[in-house]
């Protein structure tokens, strides 16, 4: 055999490998792989090695965690990952913090007296969508909102403009 000559192996070794039955480890791996795939599919592909290991133990199957990880990796099985957290703001070290003008009292005695604003984000199939909204503290209703695929300054300003527009007020000029 040409491969045996290149690798400097005895031809009997290659033929012996073909004729030899699978090892005990290979047989055990085949059985475990079927059980792992069954548990993984029963969880709709969400279970990772940690949860598959727990489920197999509940079923009475004894398997080392490292063996389970090796077999899952070899067969391309992995659990659902939690999405990475997205930071909406990165405060500067030397940037002054704005003062708390309401002393953490988020209530108002009449409408349009105190507005609260926030920016959040939502993961979609197309990517991240950022949402800015303005909330009236009296009625707890959203009075202005805006969606965008970026975190530029005009996102919260557009939400503020939406809140101001029905009230006949002008948009403030940013500093």
């Amino acid at each position: 055999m040409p491969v045996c000559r290149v690798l400097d192996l005895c031809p009997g070794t290659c033929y012996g490998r073909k004729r030899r039955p699978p090892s005990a480890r290979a047989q055990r791996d085949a059985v475990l792989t079927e059980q792992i795939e069954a548990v993984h599919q029963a969880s709709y592909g969400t279970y990772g090695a940690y949860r598959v290991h727990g489920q197999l133990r509940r079923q009475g199957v004894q398997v080392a965690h490292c063996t389970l990880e090796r077999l899952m990796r070899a067969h391309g099985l992995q659990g659902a990952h939690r999405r990475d957290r997205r930071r909406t703001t990165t405060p500067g070290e030397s940037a002054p913090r704005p003062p708390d003008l309401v002393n953490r009292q988020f209530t108002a005695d009449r409408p349009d007296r105190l507005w609260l604003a926030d920016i959040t984000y939502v993961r979609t199939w197309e990517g991240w969508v950022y949402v800015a909204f303005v909330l009236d503290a009296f009625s707890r209703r959203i009075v202005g909102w805006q969606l965008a695929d970026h975190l530029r300054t005009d996102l919260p300003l557009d939400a503020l403009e939406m809140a101001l527009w029905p009230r006949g007020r002008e948009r403030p000029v940013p500093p």
Side-chain angles (χ1 to χ4, degrees):
M1 287 178 49
V3 174
C4 293
R5 270 182 264 138
V6 171
L7 296 176
D8 196 29
L9 294 174
C10 174
T13 304
C14 295
Y15 291 117
R17 171 88 169 100
K18 288 182 178 181
R19 285 190 300 257
R20 198 174 313 122
S23 66
R25 176 181 170 174
Q27 291 174 1
R28 170 94 168 129
D29 284 355
V31 171
L32 282 174
T33 300
E34 289 177 13
Q35 294 171 329
I36 291 168
E37 287 176 343
V39 169
H40 191 260
Q41 285 187 347
S43 74
Y44 300 102
T46 60
Y47 280 11
Y50 182 79
R51 287 186 172 176
V52 170
H53 186 256
Q55 182 62 34
L56 287 175
R57 287 189 60 183
R58 282 189 290 277
Q59 293 175 359
V61 178
Q62 296 296 320
V63 59
H65 199 346
C66 58
T67 302
L68 180 82
E69 288 175 341
R70 175 179 57 84
L71 292 174
M72 286 185 71
R73 195 177 317 112
H75 291 86
L77 300 175
Q78 61 181 8
H81 295 285
R82 288 203 170 124
R83 302 289 182 206
D84 48 324
R85 310 279 285 151
R86 188 86 164 187
R87 279 193 81 150
T88 55
T89 56
T90 51
E93 296 297 323
S94 63
R97 301 287 183 251
D100 183 3
L101 300 176
V102 295
N103 295 323
R104 315 280 308 157
Q105 299 297 317
F106 303 114
T107 58
D109 56 353
R110 63 180 199 245
D112 297 337
R113 193 77 174 146
L114 175 65
W115 285 351
L116 311 168
D118 196 11
I119 298 175
T120 189
Y121 53 93
V122 180
R123 186 175 186 110
T124 66
W125 292 110
E126 296 296 320
W128 293 98
V129 175
Y130 299 95
V131 183
F133 56 90
V134 179
L135 181 90
D136 185 5
F138 177 77
S139 63
R140 305 280 187 209
R141 292 180 63 193
I142 294 176
V143 293
W145 55 272
Q146 185 65 27
L147 300 170
D149 61 352
H150 59 79
L151 264 177
R152 292 191 290 271
T153 307
D154 57 339
L155 173 66
L157 288 178
D158 287 346
L160 182 60
E161 186 174 290
M162 181 184 203
L164 291 172
W165 179 72
R167 289 157 181 80
R169 298 184 189 160
E170 290 293 318
R171 176 179 176 171
V173 178

